[in-house]
Amino acid sequence: MSGATSTAHSVVAPSGRVKLLAGAIVVLYALVALVPLIWIGLTSIKTPPDSISYPPKVVPFLHFEPSIEGYCNLFNARSRQTADYLASLPPAKSDCEAITRSRSMVVVGPSNYVPRFVNSLIIAFGSTLLSVGLGTCAAYAFSRFKVPLKDDLLFFILSTRMMPPIAVAIPIFLMYRELGLSDTRLGMILLYTSVNVSLAVWLLKGFIDEIPREYEEAAMIDGYTRLQAFRKVVLPQATTGIVATAIFCLIFAWNEYAFAVLLTSGTAQTAPPFIPIIIGEGGQDWPAVAAGTTLFLIPILVFTVLLRKHLLRGITFGAVRK
Amino acid sequence: MRAPSVPIVHQVRGLSDRTIAWLFIAPTMILLLAINLFPLIWTIQLSFTNYRANRPFAPLRNVGIEHYQTILSDPEIWQRMQATAHFVFWTILLQTVIGFALAYLIDRKFRGHGFWTTLILIPMMLSPAVVGNFWTFLYQPQIGLFNYVVSFFSGLAPSSFQMLGDVTLSPWAIIIVDTWMWTPYVMLICLAGLRSIPDYIYEAAEVDRASNWRQFISITLPMCLPFIMLAVLFRGIENFKMFDMVNLLTSGGPGSTTELASITLKRAAFEAWRTGYSSAFAIILFVTVFGLANIYVKALNKVKAR
């Protein structure tokens, strides 16, 4: 910051002016890049007419009055009614009821958003648990033992990740139909586990390689069996790596769409194929879609912050050594 | 030299190491064989038949390499491949240039760079399908934010151009979204590359009075090149099989201007139910990705070895 640091070493110690300019450009990029996301958040608290007004309404309370209508429409299924019928109803029990009636509609029940969201949670957490469990064991074995054809096996595990989902979706569709796994949560959990386990093995092998073997050897001299040493010495040491891997698996399973849209139709459908088909009367109900999107993005925002230090390793399979 | 470390514990209580290794690896391998390798082999087998998944009991006929011949001599398929190549080329070019520039700036370590980097990473963490869906809203000609901002700066009437409905603009609509979403990914890998260059090289260059530009051309770029190439490889594979975002954004339209290979594949497999034909197409795509990736990895290794 001070003049003393702005020596000739341009990269080693960039001058204050260079830093300021670099910072300004990066901040500008970040702000522009976040506009679409902020816009979705804003749209979720607009009324349908406000959401499609031109010019766009930007500042809450100043340009438009925030409304919970989007969230009401997301969670409730509605049906249009005549004015006579609406007038004959008892007073509305909730704000959502009142808003719905002001649009000449009544709430007829819950929408499918919550079940789809719950499916996303169950499938994402189920497959994460399974892939991290399987991945930790396999990674430990690859890291510590002499396994025949080790390099070939590791490459095979990685290569399964390069397959285009649509290419394998056809036979998986047929296979699942035979086994009664199509449109079931178990089927989706197994499928996402098979996609995620390759990432888990590669990431966790890197983490476990860094734990010195001497720790287990010392534990085994003290009378532990190999499995006890694994459980009581290696697992605690690998916790950070396991957590980071788990979050990567969660994010993938949470965001996955291709398999979900091709292999599920109802009971096991997750949120990504569902959100785009939230349709109001006379076309897309944008505040409701925006509300569904906002709620769906929140876990990912949290994970991004938690994961920022491990991101690089995860997205490159450890191909970039840090 | 240290003496080779002799395994201290050979015979221990409990299961032998070999048993444990086998027990630990088997479940993963069985799952991968069942859900990845087996379906792949099945796809190859189906690609030589006239099987249709919506008519499982129709008589099955072996058609040999007929599907492969049909696909490879179909001008429409070549047009789809061209659209895919156009998409892959421009997204990679834009993402690499912008991503590297951002990484280069972030590497100046200005105040608060960690915070802003985390914010920049958010788009790539989102679901491509959900992203594609909400961009259709931003691209609406009358009400969309994108058209409003463009008309604000250019003076064009916001309803005078339709990003998703115009044959020349729609490929660019998907290129913009993909670049918005995945530039952070390239940036992150480039940042790792920049951080891997040791400071003493720059210090030596300073001693030799090399200009900033000279340092950038002869140190920064070449030392970062393997990382940039790795980012291009990952993005290339991903975008070649791009499905989710495009399916939501344009689902291939208008006409077939944004119909990338995977959209064609999905239509053949799950709308026309030509399972045998689509299996052959899947295999062709798979072989193409693998072939190109392998050639590319050879080049990458050469650069790394330099």
Side-chain angles (χ1 to χ4, degrees):
Chain A
M1 291 294 283
S2 68
T5 53
S6 58
T7 60
H9 301 284
S10 60
V11 172
V12 183
S15 73
R17 261 219 335 259
V18 169
K19 278 190 178 191
L20 201 67
L21 186 67
I25 298 173
V26 170
V27 170
L28 188 72
Y29 177 89
L31 292 178
V32 171
L34 289 177
V35 165
L37 292 173
I38 296 167
W39 196 245
I40 284 301
L42 282 176
T43 304
S44 77
I45 54 166
K46 288 179 183 176
T47 59
D50 281 344
S51 74
I52 56 170
S53 83
Y54 185 87
K57 300 191 169 179
V58 182
V59 186
F61 298 106
L62 185 67
H63 294 155
F64 68 92
E65 210 43 50
S67 154
I68 56 164
E69 186 168 352
Y71 290 87
C72 293
N73 294 353
L74 176 68
F75 289 114
N76 294 318
R78 294 151 298 149
S79 95
R80 186 160 286 284
Q81 299 295 341
T82 60
D84 295 343
Y85 177 75
L86 285 166
S88 72
L89 290 172
K93 285 192 290 289
S94 66
D95 290 349
C96 278
E97 281 259 29
I99 291 172
T100 308
R101 284 190 199 170
S102 73
R103 304 266 180 228
S104 313
M105 283 185 269
V106 289
V107 172
V108 291
S111 76
N112 276 334
Y113 187 70
V114 173
R116 300 298 175 260
F117 201 88
V118 170
N119 278 343
S120 272
L121 284 175
I122 293 174
I123 291 169
F125 278 92
S127 70
T128 299
L129 219 64
L130 207 55
S131 32
V132 172
L134 293 176
T136 311
C137 291
Y140 179 74
F142 280 121
S143 173
R144 292 296 195 258
F145 302 131
K146 274 203 185 110
V147 178
L149 300 172
K150 184 191 277 188
D151 290 339
D152 296 318
L153 285 181
L154 278 170
F155 181 76
F156 164 71
I157 290 175
L158 184 63
S159 71
T160 58
R161 187 107 181 166
M162 296 182 199
M163 230 115 44
I166 316 274
V168 279
I170 305 161
I172 288 177
F173 173 80
L174 300 173
M175 189 166 88
Y176 272 22
R177 196 165 67 182
E178 290 299 314
L179 299 172
L181 282 173
S182 44
D183 206 12
T184 62
R185 290 171 184 160
L186 178 66
M188 296 312 281
I189 290 175
L190 288 175
L191 184 57
Y192 288 175
T193 305
S194 83
V195 181
N196 268 333
V197 80
S198 57
L199 173 78
V201 170
W202 274 74
L203 276 177
L204 285 165
K205 181 174 176 296
F207 284 114
I208 293 174
D209 279 345
E210 279 165 23
I211 304 169
R213 284 161 181 262
E214 285 76 15
Y215 290 3
E216 292 143 83
E217 283 165 3
M220 281 151 73
I221 289 170
D222 287 348
Y224 281 20
T225 65
R226 174 67 84 168
L227 280 179
Q228 282 170 333
F230 170 66
R231 213 172 60 224
K232 294 189 176 151
V233 179
V234 179
L235 282 187
Q237 294 276 328
T239 312
T240 4
I242 292 175
V243 171
T245 307
I247 298 178
F248 275 112
C249 295
L250 263 176
I251 289 177
F252 168 80
W254 188 251
N255 284 341
E256 208 283 335
Y257 168 79
F259 285 129
V261 79
L262 298 175
L263 301 178
T264 67
S265 50
T267 42
Q269 196 178 62
T270 51
F274 177 75
I275 291 172
I277 54 170
I278 301 170
I279 303 213
E281 288 219 331
Q284 200 83 320
D285 184 348
W286 288 112
V289 172
T293 306
T294 308
L295 292 182
F296 185 73
L297 297 185
I298 288 171
I300 295 299
L301 298 184
V302 175
F303 290 149
T304 310
V305 174
L306 290 178
L307 200 61
R308 61 192 185 282
K309 293 209 164 65
H310 294 286
L311 266 170
L312 193 66
R313 207 163 173 173
I315 61 172
T316 58
F317 283 106
V320 176
R321 271 255 159 246
K322 200 157 183 213
Chain B
M1 278 279 279
R2 259 194 333 158
S5 66
V6 183
I8 305 168
V9 192
H10 261 305
Q11 279 310 144
V12 285
R13 293 176 298 115
L15 301 168
S16 77
D17 282 3
R18 181 189 292 229
T19 317
I20 294 173
W22 194 86
L23 278 177
F24 273 21
I25 293 175
T28 298
M29 294 312 292
I30 290 168
L31 186 74
L32 287 175
L33 292 176
I35 299 196
N36 285 91
L37 196 63
F38 174 66
L40 183 71
I41 294 167
W42 199 355
T43 309
I44 297 174
Q45 192 225 325
L46 284 175
S47 74
F48 298 113
T49 67
N50 66 343
Y51 183 75
R52 298 172 74 101
N54 62 339
R55 288 181 216 156
F57 303 111
L60 197 64
R61 191 164 52 88
N62 196 325
V63 299
I65 58 163
E66 192 186 297
H67 291 314
Y68 289 90
Q69 284 173 326
T70 320
I71 292 165
L72 291 175
S73 59
D74 184 348
E76 271 195 7
I77 292 288
W78 285 103
Q79 199 211 316
R80 308 287 186 266
M81 295 302 257
Q82 231 181 331
T84 313
H86 180 266
F87 171 71
V88 172
F89 173 80
W90 282 106
T91 49
I92 286 184
L93 185 70
L94 289 170
Q95 287 164 29
T96 310
V97 171
I98 305 173
F100 182 80
L102 281 175
Y104 190 74
L105 294 172
I106 288 170
D107 201 36
R108 306 302 92 182
K109 300 211 171 68
F110 55 87
R111 268 180 79 173
H113 65 97
F115 172 77
W116 292 103
T117 310
T118 308
L119 283 189
I120 288 179
L121 295 178
I122 291 173
M124 68 173 240
M125 309 292 285
L126 309 178
S127 165
V130 173
V131 161
N133 181 52
F134 75 65
W135 272 86
T136 61
F137 178 49
L138 301 176
Y139 277 145
Q140 297 284 313
Q142 285 287 354
I143 56 172
L145 186 68
F146 183 87
N147 281 42
Y148 178 75
V149 172
V150 171
S151 72
F152 186 85
F153 286 110
S154 69
L156 290 166
S159 52
S160 66
F161 58 99
Q162 297 194 6
M163 291 304 288
L164 299 178
D166 185 290
V167 287
T168 47
L169 290 179
S170 59
W172 290 98
I174 61 170
I175 290 169
I176 290 171
V177 180
D178 195 77
T179 304
W180 171 79
M181 188 162 178
W182 292 110
T183 295
Y185 182 92
V186 179
M187 179 197 84
L188 209 50
I189 297 179
C190 289
L191 198 56
L194 290 170
R195 300 250 162 102
S196 73
I197 306 174
D199 278 355
Y200 67 82
I201 298 184
Y202 289 108
E203 282 159 11
E206 290 288 344
V207 172
D208 293 343
R209 296 185 179 281
S211 68
N212 278 343
W213 176 246
R214 184 83 214 147
Q215 288 182 21
F216 180 77
I217 292 294
S218 10
I219 301 172
T220 313
L221 263 189
M223 294 203 68
C224 218
L225 192 60
F227 291 84
I228 298 173
M229 288 182 72
L230 199 65
V232 168
L233 174 70
F234 286 136
R235 281 318 308 150
I237 292 178
E238 284 299 313
N239 274 359
F240 190 84
K241 54 180 207 189
M242 169 62 66
F243 172 72
D244 30 23
M245 188 198 75
V246 180
N247 192 44
L248 262 302
L249 206 53
T250 65
S251 47
S256 57
T257 41
T258 61
E259 190 170 319
L260 305 185
S262 59
I263 305 269
T264 310
L265 183 53
K266 179 225 165 191
R267 285 190 175 167
F270 290 93
E271 284 167 26
W273 295 103
R274 300 170 65 188
T275 314
Y277 171 90
S278 57
S279 296
F281 192 40
I283 296 299
I284 290 174
L285 289 180
F286 188 48
V287 169
T288 311
V289 177
F290 254 69
L292 291 176
N294 269 322
I295 296 169
Y296 187 88
V297 168
K298 286 218 173 78
L300 177 67
N301 286 337
K302 257 187 203 151
V303 171
K304 266 190 184 162
R306 244 193 359 229

